[in-house]
Each structure stands twice: as structure tokens, then as C-alpha cells.
Amino acid sequence: MKKQTITWTALPKPLAGQLAEGTQLRLAAFVSPRLWNSDENVLLMKLSEFPDFLDWPAVIGQASFQVEFNGGPALPATVENVSLRSDLWQGLFKNSTDVIPFQFEDLRGATILTFPAGTLHDSIRGIYQRAA
């Protein structure tokens, strides 16, 4: 079965000066699509199997967005400076563009080295205190 997952990562955009009452926060979005197939034997697919990505600028241009902070209420987001161009996208990505399906790496049984964060914090703080 074909699947597509999109991970949206919010990146803060700098503000000039102090935050005043009513100032709007600005974010940039880093978009990471994951195109895959639940059948692990499928090693090659075509972009035509994922119609949302054949003309991604048109799809995203019709979308509306909300932002949620720390589990709070979802707030409407306004998109600014949109210069998405379908002609450029479709010049790069064709129906026949190869897609190597994402495959999860099986890490069962892998050794994970950990350390107590509190001990590390105390050590670093001690080093800085002695240096000062």
C-alpha cells in the first residue's frame, strides 16, 4: 500500500527589536515528505503514484495552516511571500521521476548508550565554575 507522510518543522524567524503587545510571531516551515510503500519488496516507485507531489505548489497554495504551541489552542496562520511556481516544480519533477521508497531501519536489539543528564549538567557547571 502506498503511503505519504509529511513532517512539518516550524523554524523561528527573527524579529527586529523587542516583542511589543500585538506583535505577530513569524515562522518558516521546513517540509519533509516521506513517500513509501508498506510492501518492503517494492524498491522503486514513480512520482505519479503520489499525485499530491506532481504539482506541490498548487496543492500547498490551496492549503490553510494553523499553529499550535505546546498543546495549546490551534491558531490560524497567515502565509506570506508565497512565490511557489508550478512551472518550475513540474520542470524538475515528472510523472516518471523515480521514487526510492522510504524504509524504516530496524533498530531492535541495537545497543543504546545513555548517561544521567543531571550528572552531566553538574559536571559542566562545575567546570565553568572552576574556570571562572
Side-chain angles (χ1 to χ4, degrees):
M1 181 165 114
K2 294 179 233 48
K3 297 182 180 184
Q4 63 186 33
T5 305
I6 302 172
T7 301
W8 298 82
T9 305
L11 305 170
K13 291 183 91 172
L15 294 171
Q18 297 287 331
L19 277 179
E21 178 93 19
T23 300
Q24 293 184 350
L25 295 177
R26 298 176 65 216
L27 299 172
F30 181 78
V31 183
S32 305
R34 179 182 290 167
L35 309 177
W36 50 303
N37 193 309
S38 59
D39 181 353
E40 294 178 4
N41 296 319
V42 175
L43 303 178
L44 188 64
M45 303 172 74
K46 296 294 179 190
L47 191 60
S48 60
E49 298 178 60
F50 302 95
D52 289 341
F53 292 96
L54 290 174
D55 190 359
W56 178 249
V59 170
I60 206 67
Q62 297 174 9
S64 62
F65 297 93
Q66 294 180 328
V67 178
E68 181 181 306
F69 294 97
N70 224 13
L75 304 171
T78 303
V79 178
E80 62 180 36
N81 298 329
V82 177
S83 60
L84 305 174
R85 292 186 45 193
S86 291
D87 61 327
L88 294 178
W89 182 271
Q90 292 173 335
L92 290 171
F93 301 106
K94 309 286 185 195
N95 287 345
S96 60
T97 299
D98 289 336
V99 173
I100 299 172
F102 174 82
Q103 291 188 351
F104 287 99
E105 185 178 352
D106 184 2
L107 297 175
R108 287 178 286 190
T111 302
I112 298 174
L113 303 175
T114 64
F115 51 87
T119 303
L120 180 61
H121 173 269
D122 293 343
S123 297
I124 292 172
R125 183 179 59 200
I127 289 168
Y128 276 91
Q129 285 174 340
R130 285 190 298 277

